[in-house]
Amino acid sequence: ALPISTTPNPLALDIKRLAAGRKIVFMGGSIGKQKNLARWVDMVLNLDLAQWYFVQIGRINVNNLTPEDEQALALLKQQQPANLYIHADYLPDETVFNAIIAASDVIFAVYRDFYRSSNMLSKAAYFEKPILVADRCLMGERVTKYEIGLAVPADHAECIQQGLVSLLKLEGLATKFANYRADF
């Protein structure tokens, strides 16, 4: 079982308040080049501010970003979009991280050049949150097989944004998440 707290988490509650009814998109963990910051920032800056709220949790490994990621990060610092919450460090305990995932509507895990799996799939299944992943990798295979989200090209901003919108239309996910949990 994943570490969770039985009491409401203040940070997760604050994020829900800041989102003010908008759909919360979560991206978190150790943030380096594999996390695909450039495409994440594309979504933050191009999707409807009134509909979407983005949450980025985790230390940014600035020594491990692509030049495109560095430019995207600089753009975020310059524009400071009102639909983005960033906690640019590790959280003190995993129950807080999990509470934020539980408060989110979807998980962004469209990782770049990431060929193994990630605990984000288990977290998606445990908290029953549809997940968006890269298509040409193990995570893409598993998400497609179990139908717990969608797999999209990691380098195609428009496909990623369309995929995010489509995640909200998926149906019958409870059984699919249960199937994933049973196998993993």
Side-chain angles (χ1 to χ4, degrees):
L2 295 176
I4 57 171
S5 175
T6 55
T7 59
N9 178 270
L11 182 54
L13 292 172
D14 198 38
I15 286 169
K16 283 287 250 191
R17 181 187 59 77
L18 291 167
R22 294 175 282 186
K23 297 297 180 189
I24 299 173
V25 183
F26 175 87
M27 190 262 287
S30 179
I31 300 173
K33 67 181 178 184
Q34 81 286 355
K35 289 292 168 100
N36 208 358
L37 268 177
R39 299 295 74 81
W40 168 255
V41 172
D42 284 339
M43 285 192 320
V44 172
L45 297 179
N46 291 306
L47 288 175
D48 184 0
L49 177 81
Q51 186 179 0
W52 299 98
Y53 192 77
F54 296 89
V55 175
Q56 177 181 314
I57 305 288
R59 182 172 296 151
I60 299 171
N61 185 353
V62 292
N63 297 327
N64 182 22
L65 297 177
T66 67
E68 188 182 18
D69 290 338
E70 291 171 354
Q71 291 171 349
L73 206 53
L75 197 57
L76 277 187
K77 287 179 183 174
Q78 177 189 12
Q79 294 194 10
Q80 299 185 358
N83 63 334
L84 174 64
Y85 175 89
I86 295 178
H87 180 89
D89 206 345
Y90 298 116
L91 293 168
D93 116 34
E94 193 175 353
T95 63
V96 178
F97 191 80
N98 289 338
I100 296 168
I101 292 172
S104 299
D105 294 289
V106 297
I107 298 172
F108 174 90
V110 186
Y111 300 158
R112 176 194 299 127
D113 299 328
F114 190 82
Y115 300 101
R116 55 192 191 278
S117 192
S118 160
N119 69 351
M120 279 301 153
L121 293 181
S122 295
K123 289 180 185 286
Y126 185 85
F127 295 109
E128 300 195 346
K129 304 299 175 180
I131 187 167
L132 193 64
V133 299
D135 60 355
R136 286 175 275 154
C137 63
L138 181 57
M139 288 173 66
E141 290 171 18
R142 288 181 177 170
V143 165
T144 300
K145 177 182 177 182
Y146 288 89
E147 300 178 332
I148 60 171
L150 295 171
V152 296
D155 57 351
H156 197 285
E158 189 174 318
C159 287
I160 292 169
Q161 291 172 30
Q162 289 172 352
L164 183 65
V165 171
S166 296
L167 274 182
L168 300 176
K169 299 173 185 167
L170 296 179
E171 295 180 3
L173 287 173
T175 301
K176 295 168 184 175
F177 287 129
N179 292 339
Y180 186 90
R181 288 191 305 267
D183 287 354
F184 293 95

